Amino acid sequence: MKMKKLLAVALTSAMTVSLMACGSGSTDTSSASASSAAPAAAATSAAAAATSAAAAATSAAAAATSAAADSGTLSYNSIELGTTGTDLTASIKLLTHHTDMLKDDYTGTSWSSYLAEFNKMYPNITVDIEGITDYANDSLLRLQGGKWGDIMMIPAVDKADLATYFIPYGTVDDINSTVNYAVQWNYDGQCYGIPSTANAQGIVYNKAVFTKAGITELPTTPDDFIADLQKIKDNTDATPLYTNYAAGWTMGAWDAYISGTATGDPDYMNNKLLHTTDPFRDYGDNTHPYAVYKILYDAVSKGLIEDDYTTTDWEGCKGMINNGKIGCMVLGSWAFTQMQGAGDHPDDIGYMPFPITSGSKMTATAGPDYSFGIAADTTDDNKLASMIFVKWMTEKSGFSYNEGGLPIAADDTKMPALYDSFKDVTLVVDNPAQSGEEDLLNKLNSDSELNVNNGGNDKIQKIVEHAANGDESFDDIMAEWNTKWDDAQSTEGVTAAE
Amino acid sequence: MEQAKQKETSSFQKWFRSRKGQQALVLIVFMSIPLLLLFIFTYLPFGEMVKFSFYNMKYVGARKFVGLKNYQDVFTRKDCFGALKLSLYYMVGSVVQLLLALYLATVLSFHVKGEGAFKAVMFFPYLISGIAIGFIFKFFYTHGYVWDTALTWFGFKLDQLPYWLKDQKINNISLVATSVWRYTGQNMVLFIGAIMSVDQELYEAAALDGANRWQQFKHIIMPSIKTIITLNVILSITGSLSAFEPPYVITDGANGTGTYFVIMNRIAHTSQKVGLASAMAVVLLAIIFLVTIAQKVFFKYFFRSADDEDPRAGERREKQIEKYRAKHAARNGEAHNG
């Protein structure tokens, strides 16, 4: 009897303890494994220090890192691929938005083949890649949670917080000498993000449809463009301009054309826009943001878009443009390869500059896609390994070219075929904001809720709705936006002028 | 040694060994874990959210205390509070849904042929995930697709049919219909379950007294399942106040279909006004509380049972009997006179 009772108490307590342990289990085990692994790690890092001390003649920075005193001395430019860190054994984790590249049936080069190539040069660095489907939102949550891994495609964080989460690659000037388009994640003279690839903004179109409609030259002004869309409507069965309204984010893509493309001014997006009163007003010369959104409004009100825009299907549109059922779609160059792969007519797909001419020559905004950021809260060995991997991705992998992007490494000149019609177009890279104003655009976006270039899909969907229903004129919509923008400027205490 | 230890009994140990002590032990051990989980995953985040609602903040970065400004904004902004108007569509939809479910449940509880098959068919939509339903209905409503094709079989012409999601006059009704389609079966099954518990002899007795089906429904079924009806109404109304899936998946909240939740999501995630979105959530909670209490009060009045009868009802009945007698007497008098 007594034995039974004892047994019962013992069982209950065991269950409670184990249940409680569930909560703290993860930390327990990790600390346990860390302590058991610690001597080994110390041994390897000591060995690494020794070997890199031997290699110190070639790479002073690497030696300094292995000394593990100050991670600030780690720099992108001092890494020599194939020399630096070849003895380093590390296991790093990369968070990516490219979930399609994790699949074996990916039409381009998949992650596994990049990694196989990388491990030929660095056999001891293991890279674990985790794909996140809803990247823009989930990565922010992961970032806040900490301990997410070593490399991540930097999500929309405030620039002032960059140093909290990521380590710098070097000073902005140093990085700009070896890397193109590293303009997005700079703060306080330090560069925190190396672009994975870069795009120039234009319009995806079907060459066969344009030819059939009788368009011989690509349009260069909004008026030409609308006239061409009308030709497509009159002469073919294709939808002239497919908005992809229902998908939402595809409408947000229109914001990408308001800066360099519509003004030719590299300072427009991050400097002038912030200090302009009524930036959405009509400048009268078919330039500036007004002209960009006006194209959409006019196309909708003239019936040059799909019939039932509320039920558009993103996956379906790829096959439709490939088969000549769509004339064109306003999307970044990343979309080009997808449209080519969606049917039997990859050669019909073309990419043309956005039809606005602000000066003597056409211009197009070019800029970085997601950038690699390296975690600040990881070990020094992992930081070095991560930086080696990022440099390898930029210089050796051919990733940007394979994905149809502009060259990232400064000495790389290989332009993918999709930019064939951009020969006479000047590429404009948005300059970063002035120091002290790095977060101002984010703040104005949040206050005004216009979210320019930052997922402000609903404001552009509203342009389509108002144009289709005819219940608000385009000038009224722009006036509304101007008010919101001006209010946000006064909330943030920004000095603005015409 | 152990035996000796067990013999020294303090008063606590004594209590601990007693039946009461053991009961308390079991109670604490079994309660602590679920309560802890509830606290960590429900009340703690909720408390944080209430705190957030007083700040001007983003997910990352600094926070600034702004007092009640967020709440002011919720009530003054056209898109926040105005979005609640869309809930009216969903409320009307939920009434339709409940009536339909109640009707079907009653019919099916009177032993019809193929009862099981009907139940299965009607319950099925509830088993499909909301996201899948969204995609199904996006194609269903596309101009010239499923729904329009079905209507053309009945002689409608395609160019006379409206655009179900594009036309702002009817697109909310289209969306509500999807949610009615989805939840009617589930409500019906709940009702059937409740109706099953009604004593079969009551129907027999009622039938002997000459009550027809409607009278049986009104006087036997309705009072017996009032709890489940109340529950379903409360769930439907809260559900319609916080409608999210149909507009989010089918239309992305665009084209005038952005319900309160969709707007809240947009403000929180796109514009990163976490404080304002938290305030919206708190306001919605308060509204749901109010509506639930109002419903409780309403149903208490509506479904009063014979035991706690309204005292005035007795008086009314007396009066009616008086009236009837008087009328009867008068008619008798007339008959006599005539």
Side-chain angles (χ1 to χ4, degrees):
Chain A
M1 193 61 205
K2 235 172 205 163
M3 277 302 285
K4 256 188 184 170
K5 235 181 186 173
L6 269 173
L7 198 69
V9 169
L11 265 175
T12 333
S13 55
M15 277 164 72
T16 346
V17 167
S18 62
L19 265 169
M20 282 173 171
C22 279
S24 55
S26 58
T27 48
D28 274 359
T29 47
S30 66
S31 66
S33 65
S35 57
S36 65
T44 43
S45 64
T51 44
S52 45
T58 52
S59 162
T65 335
S66 315
D70 182 15
S71 62
T73 50
L74 184 64
S75 94
Y76 178 85
N77 283 358
S78 63
I79 287 173
E80 283 179 44
L81 290 175
T83 315
T84 311
T86 35
D87 303 317
L88 184 69
T89 304
S91 174
I92 55 175
K93 184 171 174 187
L94 164 73
L95 301 190
T96 178
H97 63 296
H98 254 302
T99 46
D100 50 348
M101 282 174 56
L102 287 168
K103 292 180 192 139
D104 290 331
D105 60 354
Y106 182 62
T107 44
T109 316
S110 68
W111 278 120
S112 55
S113 32
Y114 283 123
L115 293 187
E117 199 59 37
F118 175 68
N119 283 341
K120 278 182 195 162
M121 194 181 263
Y122 287 97
N124 299 327
I125 299 180
T126 325
V127 186
D128 176 27
I129 293 182
E130 183 186 340
I132 299 180
T133 317
D134 183 11
Y135 192 81
N137 286 326
D138 290 354
S139 58
L140 268 181
L141 297 176
R142 293 284 290 273
L143 186 63
Q144 249 199 327
K147 298 260 173 237
W148 44 266
D150 303 285
I151 311 176
M152 131 180 320
M153 315 310 285
I154 304 179
V157 293
D158 279 352
K159 287 191 182 157
D161 298 328
L162 275 174
T164 329
Y165 299 118
F166 303 105
I167 58 166
Y169 288 93
T171 64
V172 174
D173 293 337
D174 284 352
I175 296 300
N176 279 342
S177 65
T178 49
V179 176
N180 294 326
Y181 309 107
V183 289
Q184 201 181 0
W185 299 115
N186 298 336
Y187 190 77
D188 238 358
Q190 298 286 322
C191 174
Y192 293 87
I194 302 282
S196 57
T197 173
N199 302 311
Q201 302 297 331
I203 294 179
V204 189
Y205 74 109
N206 187 303
K207 293 176 192 166
V209 172
F210 271 52
T211 317
K212 200 176 163 201
I215 302 162
T216 47
E217 251 176 72
L218 290 174
T220 55
T221 64
D223 297 336
D224 288 352
F225 184 56
I226 295 287
D228 287 345
L229 293 180
Q230 189 67 48
K231 273 188 200 162
I232 297 176
K233 191 185 183 185
D234 296 342
N235 302 337
T236 72
D237 298 330
T239 305
L241 173 70
Y242 198 78
T243 62
N244 267 312
Y245 169 97
W249 57 269
T250 39
M251 301 258 52
W254 283 79
D255 284 339
Y257 303 88
I258 65 168
S259 56
T261 306
T263 62
D265 184 350
D267 280 323
Y268 189 79
M269 192 70 214
N270 295 317
N271 295 307
K272 291 207 176 142
L273 177 64
L274 313 182
H275 293 284
T276 307
T277 315
D278 298 344
F280 302 105
R281 70 176 183 274
D282 184 5
Y283 281 78
D285 56 355
N286 274 335
T287 64
H288 287 78
Y290 181 91
V292 175
Y293 302 120
K294 182 103 170 37
I295 290 177
L296 178 62
Y297 189 92
D298 286 347
V300 177
S301 63
K302 292 193 168 117
L304 301 171
I305 62 157
E306 65 271 24
D307 186 32
D308 186 358
Y309 52 79
T310 47
T311 50
T312 57
D313 170 33
W314 165 246
E315 290 303 325
C317 84
K318 299 179 190 174
M320 282 161 74
I321 193 169
N322 194 296
N323 295 320
K325 291 196 184 114
I326 291 173
C328 62
M329 295 196 282
V330 176
L331 289 169
S333 58
W334 54 267
F336 179 81
T337 37
Q338 294 194 17
M339 302 302 154
Q340 278 195 320
D344 304 329
H345 310 282
D347 296 338
D348 285 351
I349 306 294
Y351 201 64
M352 67 176 190
F354 196 82
I356 285 185
T357 309
S358 55
S360 53
K361 258 175 101 180
M362 283 183 92
T363 50
T365 304
D369 199 319
Y370 270 119
S371 300
F372 296 109
I374 297 176
D377 64 352
T378 183
T379 64
D380 287 334
D381 277 354
N382 278 16
K383 281 176 189 167
L384 177 62
S386 303
M387 206 170 276
I388 289 171
F389 183 69
V390 170
K391 186 148 186 170
W392 184 85
M393 281 301 283
T394 311
E395 295 188 349
K396 302 280 184 215
S397 68
F399 174 82
S400 188
Y401 181 83
N402 294 345
E403 292 297 309
L406 300 165
I408 299 295
D411 52 2
D412 187 359
T413 49
K414 249 168 75 177
M415 284 280 253
L418 87 106
Y419 291 111
D420 283 349
S421 28
F422 280 67
K423 279 182 187 118
D424 296 328
V425 177
T426 317
L427 296 183
V428 179
V429 184
D430 288 337
N431 283 336
Q434 287 165 6
S435 79
E437 289 192 347
E438 284 90 349
D439 291 326
L440 189 54
L441 180 61
N442 270 358
K443 284 180 186 158
L444 291 176
N445 266 336
S446 175
D447 290 341
S448 65
E449 289 175 30
L450 288 176
N451 292 306
V452 173
N453 249 340
N454 186 30
N457 312 331
D458 54 314
K459 69 172 188 299
I460 299 170
Q461 284 178 322
K462 285 208 177 86
I463 295 183
V464 176
E465 290 158 25
H466 290 313
N469 299 329
D471 54 0
E472 192 171 353
S473 78
F474 182 66
D475 286 328
D476 287 348
I477 301 175
M478 287 300 114
E480 223 174 80
W481 292 15
N482 277 330
T483 318
K484 284 184 179 174
W485 195 254
D486 296 350
D487 287 350
Q489 280 172 334
S490 62
T491 310
E492 296 295 336
V494 179
T495 48
E498 287 283 306
Chain B
M1 182 71 187
E2 277 211 343
Q3 295 240 328
K5 235 184 192 176
Q6 273 179 6
K7 267 173 192 162
E8 323 166 357
T9 47
S10 69
S11 67
F12 175 75
Q13 273 177 321
K14 212 172 176 183
W15 174 82
F16 192 74
R17 290 243 188 89
S18 71
R19 190 177 165 77
K20 261 199 166 157
Q22 294 289 305
Q23 268 179 344
L25 175 74
V26 169
L27 212 68
I28 290 166
V29 167
F30 279 89
M31 291 270 287
S32 59
I33 290 162
L35 280 182
L36 194 73
L37 291 176
L38 189 69
F39 175 74
I40 292 175
F41 291 104
T42 308
Y43 292 104
L44 190 68
F46 176 73
E48 282 291 297
M49 190 188 74
V50 173
K51 198 178 91 191
F52 288 168
S53 70
F54 296 105
Y55 284 87
N56 180 1
M57 59 176 281
K58 294 183 185 181
Y59 283 104
V60 284
R63 304 167 181 181
K64 201 175 107 201
F65 184 78
V66 291
L68 288 172
K69 192 181 165 298
N70 286 327
Y71 288 92
Q72 247 173 23
D73 283 353
V74 172
F75 288 101
T76 47
R77 278 173 60 131
K78 194 166 69 191
D79 58 338
C80 289
F81 221 60
L84 275 179
K85 277 185 216 143
L86 290 187
S87 300
L88 291 178
Y89 282 102
Y90 289 87
M91 281 187 199
V92 172
S94 69
V95 171
V96 172
Q97 171 188 320
L98 285 173
L99 291 179
L100 204 64
L102 197 53
Y103 172 76
L104 291 170
T106 314
V107 170
L108 285 178
S109 63
F110 285 129
H111 301 293
V112 280
K113 266 182 197 156
E115 192 183 333
F118 278 120
K119 274 186 213 166
V121 166
M122 279 182 275
F123 186 69
F124 177 65
Y126 183 69
L127 300 175
I128 313 175
S129 102
I131 306 292
I133 288 180
F135 281 109
I136 294 172
F137 275 96
K138 200 162 130 188
F139 290 111
F140 182 78
Y141 285 130
T142 300
H143 195 60
Y145 277 46
V146 189
W147 179 228
D148 288 353
T149 314
L151 286 176
T152 49
W153 294 337
F154 296 100
F156 289 95
K157 292 220 171 62
L158 185 61
D159 43 346
Q160 290 172 346
L161 289 171
Y163 289 79
W164 299 105
L165 294 175
K166 188 171 146 189
D167 189 343
Q168 295 198 354
K169 288 193 203 80
I170 56 165
N171 56 8
N172 280 306
I173 299 172
S174 307
L175 293 181
V176 171
T178 68
S179 123
V180 170
W181 177 80
R182 183 176 177 199
Y183 289 106
T184 301
Q186 185 239 10
N187 284 357
M188 182 193 78
V189 167
L190 284 180
F191 284 140
I192 289 178
I195 293 173
M196 290 291 196
S197 66
V198 177
D199 189 353
Q200 295 290 322
E201 282 172 24
L202 283 176
Y203 298 130
E204 257 171 59
L208 282 177
D209 284 345
N212 61 21
R213 289 293 198 206
W214 166 245
Q215 283 163 330
Q216 285 182 15
F217 172 74
K218 195 180 163 198
H219 297 290
I220 301 174
I221 296 180
M222 278 279 268
S224 321
I225 62 168
K226 65 176 180 181
T227 332
I228 209 85
I229 293 181
T230 322
L231 179 76
N232 263 337
V233 170
I234 289 175
L235 286 180
S236 311
I237 300 288
T238 17
S240 44
L241 280 169
S242 47
F244 179 70
E245 265 176 17
Y248 188 72
V249 181
I250 304 178
T251 59
D252 193 28
N255 208 12
T257 60
T259 56
Y260 196 80
F261 255 50
V262 173
I263 302 288
M264 195 160 87
N265 174 57
R266 193 178 288 158
I267 287 178
H269 291 122
T270 311
S271 297
Q272 301 248 327
K273 290 188 174 174
V274 181
L276 179 59
S278 300
M280 282 181 81
V282 174
V283 169
L284 183 68
L285 182 79
I287 292 172
I288 288 177
F289 263 141
L290 285 179
V291 171
T292 313
I293 290 167
Q295 276 175 339
K296 276 275 183 199
V297 172
F298 173 75
F299 275 95
K300 208 169 177 189
Y301 177 76
F302 192 68
F303 284 120
R304 55 191 193 282
S305 64
D307 305 328
D308 48 47
E309 193 181 47
D310 183 358
R312 279 171 304 167
E315 284 170 34
R316 269 206 301 270
R317 199 165 45 232
E318 288 298 317
K319 256 186 210 162
Q320 258 175 352
I321 293 168
E322 278 299 304
K323 227 160 127 193
Y324 178 76
R325 278 196 185 134
K327 221 169 157 189
H328 214 70
R331 215 191 295 155
N332 278 351
E334 263 171 42
H336 281 291
N337 291 342

mmCIF file of all heavy atoms in Angstrom, chain A residues 473-498:
data_model
loop_
_atom_site.group_PDB
_atom_site.id
_atom_site.type_symbol
_atom_site.label_atom_id
_atom_site.label_comp_id
_atom_site.label_asym_id
_atom_site.label_seq_id
_atom_site.Cartn_x
_atom_site.Cartn_y
_atom_site.Cartn_z
ATOM 1 N N SER A 473 -12.122 62.075 -59.910
ATOM 2 C CA SER A 473 -11.193 62.406 -60.996
ATOM 3 C C SER A 473 -9.763 62.164 -60.538
ATOM 4 O O SER A 473 -9.474 62.137 -59.338
ATOM 5 C CB SER A 473 -11.363 63.863 -61.406
ATOM 6 O OG SER A 473 -10.728 64.695 -60.471
ATOM 7 N N PHE A 474 -8.864 62.020 -61.491
ATOM 8 C CA PHE A 474 -7.475 61.731 -61.146
ATOM 9 C C PHE A 474 -6.862 62.871 -60.340
ATOM 10 O O PHE A 474 -6.135 62.640 -59.376
ATOM 11 C CB PHE A 474 -6.663 61.491 -62.429
ATOM 12 C CG PHE A 474 -5.233 61.141 -62.158
ATOM 13 C CD1 PHE A 474 -4.922 59.955 -61.521
ATOM 14 C CD2 PHE A 474 -4.205 62.002 -62.491
ATOM 15 C CE1 PHE A 474 -3.605 59.629 -61.241
ATOM 16 C CE2 PHE A 474 -2.892 61.683 -62.219
ATOM 17 C CZ PHE A 474 -2.587 60.482 -61.587
ATOM 18 N N ASP A 475 -7.202 64.101 -60.705
ATOM 19 C CA ASP A 475 -6.633 65.240 -59.985
ATOM 20 C C ASP A 475 -7.087 65.261 -58.532
ATOM 21 O O ASP A 475 -6.331 65.641 -57.639
ATOM 22 C CB ASP A 475 -6.999 66.550 -60.688
ATOM 23 C CG ASP A 475 -6.199 66.726 -61.974
ATOM 24 O OD1 ASP A 475 -5.046 66.258 -62.006
ATOM 25 O OD2 ASP A 475 -6.730 67.310 -62.933
ATOM 26 N N ASP A 476 -8.323 64.827 -58.291
ATOM 27 C CA ASP A 476 -8.805 64.782 -56.907
ATOM 28 C C ASP A 476 -8.034 63.748 -56.093
ATOM 29 O O ASP A 476 -7.706 63.966 -54.930
ATOM 30 C CB ASP A 476 -10.304 64.445 -56.867
ATOM 31 C CG ASP A 476 -11.142 65.614 -57.337
ATOM 32 O OD1 ASP A 476 -10.569 66.721 -57.459
ATOM 33 O OD2 ASP A 476 -12.338 65.422 -57.588
ATOM 34 N N ILE A 477 -7.760 62.582 -56.718
ATOM 35 C CA ILE A 477 -7.003 61.547 -56.009
ATOM 36 C C ILE A 477 -5.624 62.080 -55.643
ATOM 37 O O ILE A 477 -5.164 61.954 -54.510
ATOM 38 C CB ILE A 477 -6.846 60.287 -56.891
ATOM 39 C CG1 ILE A 477 -8.211 59.736 -57.285
ATOM 40 C CG2 ILE A 477 -6.053 59.220 -56.153
ATOM 41 C CD1 ILE A 477 -8.139 58.572 -58.262
ATOM 42 N N MET A 478 -4.983 62.738 -56.619
ATOM 43 C CA MET A 478 -3.646 63.256 -56.372
ATOM 44 C C MET A 478 -3.676 64.346 -55.296
ATOM 45 O O MET A 478 -2.780 64.436 -54.457
ATOM 46 C CB MET A 478 -3.038 63.818 -57.658
ATOM 47 C CG MET A 478 -2.622 62.760 -58.675
ATOM 48 S SD MET A 478 -1.382 61.639 -58.034
ATOM 49 C CE MET A 478 -2.277 60.119 -57.998
ATOM 50 N N ALA A 479 -4.740 65.146 -55.316
ATOM 51 C CA ALA A 479 -4.866 66.204 -54.301
ATOM 52 C C ALA A 479 -4.963 65.574 -52.909
ATOM 53 O O ALA A 479 -4.354 66.051 -51.945
ATOM 54 C CB ALA A 479 -6.093 67.051 -54.597
ATOM 55 N N GLU A 480 -5.718 64.464 -52.833
ATOM 56 C CA GLU A 480 -5.861 63.749 -51.564
ATOM 57 C C GLU A 480 -4.491 63.265 -51.060
ATOM 58 O O GLU A 480 -4.148 63.415 -49.891
ATOM 59 C CB GLU A 480 -6.732 62.524 -51.827
ATOM 60 C CG GLU A 480 -7.792 62.224 -50.805
ATOM 61 C CD GLU A 480 -8.641 61.077 -51.313
ATOM 62 O OE1 GLU A 480 -8.188 59.929 -51.185
ATOM 63 O OE2 GLU A 480 -9.735 61.339 -51.876
ATOM 64 N N TRP A 481 -3.740 62.673 -51.971
ATOM 65 C CA TRP A 481 -2.403 62.168 -51.605
ATOM 66 C C TRP A 481 -1.501 63.314 -51.163
ATOM 67 O O TRP A 481 -0.766 63.194 -50.194
ATOM 68 C CB TRP A 481 -1.738 61.467 -52.799
ATOM 69 C CG TRP A 481 -2.378 60.200 -53.201
ATOM 70 C CD1 TRP A 481 -3.604 59.752 -52.846
ATOM 71 C CD2 TRP A 481 -1.806 59.196 -54.051
ATOM 72 N NE1 TRP A 481 -3.852 58.543 -53.431
ATOM 73 C CE2 TRP A 481 -2.763 58.183 -54.169
ATOM 74 C CE3 TRP A 481 -0.606 59.080 -54.727
ATOM 75 C CZ2 TRP A 481 -2.546 57.039 -54.942
ATOM 76 C CZ3 TRP A 481 -0.377 57.949 -55.489
ATOM 77 C CH2 TRP A 481 -1.341 56.934 -55.594
ATOM 78 N N ASN A 482 -1.596 64.443 -51.901
ATOM 79 C CA ASN A 482 -0.777 65.593 -51.539
ATOM 80 C C ASN A 482 -1.073 66.029 -50.114
ATOM 81 O O ASN A 482 -0.159 66.311 -49.349
ATOM 82 C CB ASN A 482 -1.064 66.753 -52.497
ATOM 83 C CG ASN A 482 -0.270 66.609 -53.788
ATOM 84 O OD1 ASN A 482 0.817 66.046 -53.784
ATOM 85 N ND2 ASN A 482 -0.824 67.103 -54.881
ATOM 86 N N THR A 483 -2.377 66.083 -49.759
ATOM 87 C CA THR A 483 -2.744 66.484 -48.407
ATOM 88 C C THR A 483 -2.134 65.526 -47.381
ATOM 89 O O THR A 483 -1.554 65.953 -46.390
ATOM 90 C CB THR A 483 -4.283 66.463 -48.252
ATOM 91 O OG1 THR A 483 -4.855 67.028 -49.418
ATOM 92 C CG2 THR A 483 -4.717 67.213 -47.032
ATOM 93 N N LYS A 484 -2.270 64.224 -47.647
ATOM 94 C CA LYS A 484 -1.731 63.250 -46.708
ATOM 95 C C LYS A 484 -0.224 63.419 -46.546
ATOM 96 O O LYS A 484 0.311 63.338 -45.438
ATOM 97 C CB LYS A 484 -2.017 61.823 -47.200
ATOM 98 C CG LYS A 484 -3.455 61.395 -47.000
ATOM 99 C CD LYS A 484 -3.614 59.949 -47.418
ATOM 100 C CE LYS A 484 -5.034 59.475 -47.197
ATOM 101 N NZ LYS A 484 -5.234 58.119 -47.718
ATOM 102 N N TRP A 485 0.440 63.620 -47.668
ATOM 103 C CA TRP A 485 1.901 63.741 -47.635
ATOM 104 C C TRP A 485 2.313 65.012 -46.888
ATOM 105 O O TRP A 485 3.216 64.985 -46.054
ATOM 106 C CB TRP A 485 2.442 63.749 -49.066
ATOM 107 C CG TRP A 485 3.903 63.505 -49.142
ATOM 108 C CD1 TRP A 485 4.865 64.426 -49.403
ATOM 109 C CD2 TRP A 485 4.583 62.260 -48.953
ATOM 110 N NE1 TRP A 485 6.104 63.832 -49.384
ATOM 111 C CE2 TRP A 485 5.959 62.498 -49.108
ATOM 112 C CE3 TRP A 485 4.155 60.969 -48.648
ATOM 113 C CZ2 TRP A 485 6.922 61.500 -48.985
ATOM 114 C CZ3 TRP A 485 5.105 59.968 -48.528
ATOM 115 C CH2 TRP A 485 6.469 60.230 -48.696
ATOM 116 N N ASP A 486 1.609 66.115 -47.200
ATOM 117 C CA ASP A 486 1.952 67.377 -46.540
ATOM 118 C C ASP A 486 1.705 67.281 -45.041
ATOM 119 O O ASP A 486 2.493 67.780 -44.233
ATOM 120 C CB ASP A 486 1.121 68.524 -47.139
ATOM 121 C CG ASP A 486 1.447 68.750 -48.610
ATOM 122 O OD1 ASP A 486 2.431 68.147 -49.088
ATOM 123 O OD2 ASP A 486 0.710 69.505 -49.274
ATOM 124 N N ASP A 487 0.597 66.621 -44.649
ATOM 125 C CA ASP A 487 0.302 66.455 -43.222
ATOM 126 C C ASP A 487 1.399 65.661 -42.538
ATOM 127 O O ASP A 487 1.832 65.995 -41.433
ATOM 128 C CB ASP A 487 -1.036 65.732 -43.024
ATOM 129 C CG ASP A 487 -2.209 66.628 -43.364
ATOM 130 O OD1 ASP A 487 -1.971 67.841 -43.559
ATOM 131 O OD2 ASP A 487 -3.343 66.127 -43.446
ATOM 132 N N ALA A 488 1.832 64.591 -43.208
ATOM 133 C CA ALA A 488 2.889 63.762 -42.631
ATOM 134 C C ALA A 488 4.165 64.580 -42.474
ATOM 135 O O ALA A 488 4.859 64.465 -41.463
ATOM 136 C CB ALA A 488 3.147 62.547 -43.507
ATOM 137 N N GLN A 489 4.451 65.430 -43.465
ATOM 138 C CA GLN A 489 5.650 66.265 -43.377
ATOM 139 C C GLN A 489 5.571 67.198 -42.181
ATOM 140 O O GLN A 489 6.543 67.380 -41.460
ATOM 141 C CB GLN A 489 5.814 67.088 -44.662
ATOM 142 C CG GLN A 489 6.418 66.278 -45.801
ATOM 143 C CD GLN A 489 6.407 67.036 -47.116
ATOM 144 O OE1 GLN A 489 5.573 67.908 -47.329
ATOM 145 N NE2 GLN A 489 7.304 66.679 -47.997
ATOM 146 N N SER A 490 4.376 67.756 -41.938
ATOM 147 C CA SER A 490 4.304 68.674 -40.808
ATOM 148 C C SER A 490 4.340 67.901 -39.487
ATOM 149 O O SER A 490 4.859 68.397 -38.494
ATOM 150 C CB SER A 490 3.080 69.587 -40.908
ATOM 151 O OG SER A 490 1.911 68.829 -40.880
ATOM 152 N N THR A 491 3.808 66.647 -39.469
ATOM 153 C CA THR A 491 3.897 65.841 -38.253
ATOM 154 C C THR A 491 5.358 65.577 -37.889
ATOM 155 O O THR A 491 5.735 65.621 -36.727
ATOM 156 C CB THR A 491 3.200 64.476 -38.446
ATOM 157 O OG1 THR A 491 1.908 64.703 -38.987
ATOM 158 C CG2 THR A 491 3.096 63.710 -37.146
ATOM 159 N N GLU A 492 6.149 65.281 -38.926
ATOM 160 C CA GLU A 492 7.545 64.958 -38.665
ATOM 161 C C GLU A 492 8.420 66.215 -38.602
ATOM 162 O O GLU A 492 9.636 66.104 -38.421
ATOM 163 C CB GLU A 492 8.090 64.021 -39.754
ATOM 164 C CG GLU A 492 7.411 62.663 -39.794
ATOM 165 C CD GLU A 492 7.655 61.838 -38.528
ATOM 166 O OE1 GLU A 492 8.661 62.087 -37.847
ATOM 167 O OE2 GLU A 492 6.832 60.957 -38.227
ATOM 168 N N GLY A 493 7.819 67.369 -38.795
ATOM 169 C CA GLY A 493 8.579 68.617 -38.725
ATOM 170 C C GLY A 493 9.588 68.787 -39.845
ATOM 171 O O GLY A 493 10.695 69.276 -39.633
ATOM 172 N N VAL A 494 9.189 68.357 -41.057
ATOM 173 C CA VAL A 494 10.109 68.446 -42.188
ATOM 174 C C VAL A 494 9.935 69.791 -42.877
ATOM 175 O O VAL A 494 8.809 70.244 -43.076
ATOM 176 C CB VAL A 494 9.801 67.322 -43.208
ATOM 177 C CG1 VAL A 494 10.729 67.417 -44.398
ATOM 178 C CG2 VAL A 494 9.915 65.978 -42.546
ATOM 179 N N THR A 495 11.041 70.406 -43.238
ATOM 180 C CA THR A 495 10.918 71.625 -44.031
ATOM 181 C C THR A 495 10.729 71.230 -45.487
ATOM 182 O O THR A 495 11.475 70.419 -46.023
ATOM 183 C CB THR A 495 12.198 72.488 -43.934
ATOM 184 O OG1 THR A 495 13.312 71.636 -44.149
ATOM 185 C CG2 THR A 495 12.302 73.150 -42.580
ATOM 186 N N ALA A 496 9.694 71.769 -46.091
ATOM 187 C CA ALA A 496 9.392 71.386 -47.469
ATOM 188 C C ALA A 496 9.147 72.631 -48.298
ATOM 189 O O ALA A 496 8.674 73.637 -47.804
ATOM 190 C CB ALA A 496 8.168 70.491 -47.496
ATOM 191 N N ALA A 497 9.509 72.509 -49.557
ATOM 192 C CA ALA A 497 9.264 73.622 -50.477
ATOM 193 C C ALA A 497 8.695 73.063 -51.764
ATOM 194 O O ALA A 497 8.734 71.855 -51.991
ATOM 195 C CB ALA A 497 10.559 74.369 -50.750
ATOM 196 N N GLU A 498 8.190 73.954 -52.601
ATOM 197 C CA GLU A 498 7.603 73.530 -53.877
ATOM 198 C C GLU A 498 8.597 72.743 -54.702
ATOM 199 O O GLU A 498 9.754 73.113 -54.782
ATOM 200 C CB GLU A 498 7.175 74.782 -54.657
ATOM 201 C CG GLU A 498 5.934 75.430 -54.079
ATOM 202 C CD GLU A 498 4.661 74.698 -54.444
ATOM 203 O OE1 GLU A 498 4.428 74.481 -55.650
ATOM 204 O OE2 GLU A 498 3.892 74.338 -53.536
#
